[in-house]
Amino acid sequence: MTLDPVIRLRLSTMMFLEFFVWGAWFVTLGTYLAADLGASGSQIALAFLTQSLGAILAPFIVGLIADRWFAAQRILGVLHLFSAVMLFLAGRQGDFGAFFVFALLAMISFMPTLALANSISFRRLTSPERQFPAIRVFGTIGWIVAGLLIGWLGWEAGGALENTFVMAAIGSALLGVYAFTLPHTPPEPGQGRVTVRDVLGLDALALLKSRSYLVFFLASILICIPLAFYYNFTNLYLNEIGVQSAAAVQSLGQVSEALFLLVMPLMLRKLGVKRTLLIGMLAWALRYALFAFGDAGSLLWLVIIGLVLHGVCYDFFFVAGQIYTDRFAPKHVRSAAQGLISLATYGVGLLIGSLISGPIVDAFLAADGAHDWRTIWLIPAALAVGVALFFAALFRERETVEAAEVPQGA
């Protein structure tokens, strides 16, 4: 059954705006904080930690409020309108402490909207596995457009990155209003009184009885520790070594992500789960090594390849991991399993990574204000190799069949 073209357009527009808002301010956040607020590496990492805190709180907002009492499109609209105000105010602060408060409130309201946007989409799709990638890719396009706009307007070179918060706030406000026009997506019929156990996906913990799924779960947390270095400091690194229009150049990673997202089902069939996930982990190590030895001159091509590897890094691990989880988990715990993985990666993993990456970046700051980026990048490269070796040694793809043995209500 084909999808109504009008519904496809409306959902694609929602995804475009959703990720445009995120990419409009989050990519250049480290550079803005260092240049405009004089923030240290630890403070920059703390600012990015707001994403993890938002991810940890998101299941409560979506599970305890949106899924039970309000239509998804309405809570999506309210959260984005609130986030728009917080983003605008964050860009108007003159010290890090005040900025952190508004950025935290913005992220606590934004992170739940990722799940809400997915929920609205899945409820309207006739064949989610086949149709969703073509809709989700517009989110990646939105992120790319945000980066290209920042580069085209010259906000990085011109020291005007505070404007990114205005752009993000406008995008969030537009989506907030637009959300109320989306197809009505009421809560699913209740299954009894919701509990914290339901919200946190604790029923999915029974999947960890399988050694291989436990290995995958732990690897998902561990790989997000080196991932935090990329999210938190890549834009600062690019600007510090002298790459022109760094945010626009960085969007090459999202172009790669979009392409690999569309071929992911084929890659999983050809390579299998283990090899696909392992390639994703090793790609992180290779990317950091390329960053370590690249520069803005004759070795810029190393940096460009490192950025383009984002599609492999993200899709081959995160997207493939979500598909693997959906296949592994019995039907009655699939939603809980996806929530648990998101909490582990964007919540726990990136939180640990943010707490570790900031002090490391500060430790390699020279007296002249420049960073020893080679040493900095080799540290997450080594961490990624360690996680890949752990995963390769202990993960057994054949154990997937054991998922069917997880008991109802375990």
Side-chain angles (χ1 to χ4, degrees), residues 256-295:
S256 170
E257 178 190 330
L259 294 175
F260 280 105
L261 182 66
L262 296 176
V263 300
M264 179 52 55
L266 175 64
M267 300 306 292
L268 277 171
R269 285 197 300 270
K270 294 292 185 181
L271 299 174
V273 171
K274 182 174 183 176
R275 281 184 289 180
T276 301
L277 294 172
L278 194 57
I279 289 171
M281 290 184 225
L282 291 174
W284 284 112
L286 177 58
R287 140 180 279 174
Y288 291 135
L290 292 170
F291 282 1
F293 293 99
D295 58 38

Side-chain angles (χ1 to χ4, degrees), residues 3-179:
L3 182 63
D4 184 337
V6 175
I7 293 295
R8 182 186 296 275
L9 176 62
R10 296 178 74 187
L11 296 178
S12 298
T13 302
M14 174 189 68
M15 285 294 181
F16 177 92
L17 290 171
E18 178 75 19
F19 286 86
F20 175 87
V21 170
W22 199 359
W25 71 285
F26 213 60
V27 172
T28 56
L29 177 58
T31 301
Y32 167 75
L33 292 174
D36 289 46
L37 300 186
S40 65
S42 295
Q43 288 177 318
I44 292 172
L46 186 63
F48 278 96
L49 187 144
T50 59
Q51 173 184 255
S52 300
L53 296 176
I56 290 171
L57 292 173
F60 291 93
I61 296 175
V62 175
L64 286 174
I65 300 176
D67 282 353
R68 299 287 168 161
W69 296 331
F70 299 103
Q73 83 279 3
R74 291 172 184 164
I75 194 68
L76 178 72
V78 170
L79 288 173
H80 265 293
L81 290 173
F82 179 79
S83 183
V85 176
M86 295 302 102
L87 285 168
F88 180 81
L89 293 175
R92 291 293 176 269
Q93 305 310 306
D95 64 272
F96 179 80
F99 170 86
F100 179 80
V101 172
F102 288 109
L104 177 60
L105 291 172
M107 271 314 222
I108 288 174
S109 55
F110 174 80
M111 291 304 289
T113 67
L114 297 172
L116 289 168
N118 287 343
S119 177
I120 292 169
S121 297
F122 283 125
R123 292 276 292 276
R124 296 295 162 185
L125 301 181
T126 56
S127 178
E129 186 172 341
R130 181 171 56 86
Q131 297 165 344
F132 182 69
I135 289 172
R136 170 60 181 80
V137 74
F138 279 89
T140 302
I141 293 172
W143 187 292
I144 293 169
V145 170
L148 292 176
L149 279 175
I150 293 170
W152 178 63
L153 293 169
W155 286 345
E156 288 168 291
L161 284 176
E162 69 275 4
N163 292 330
T164 61
F165 295 93
V166 177
M167 183 167 70
I170 292 172
S172 190
L174 286 174
L175 181 50
V177 173
Y178 177 70

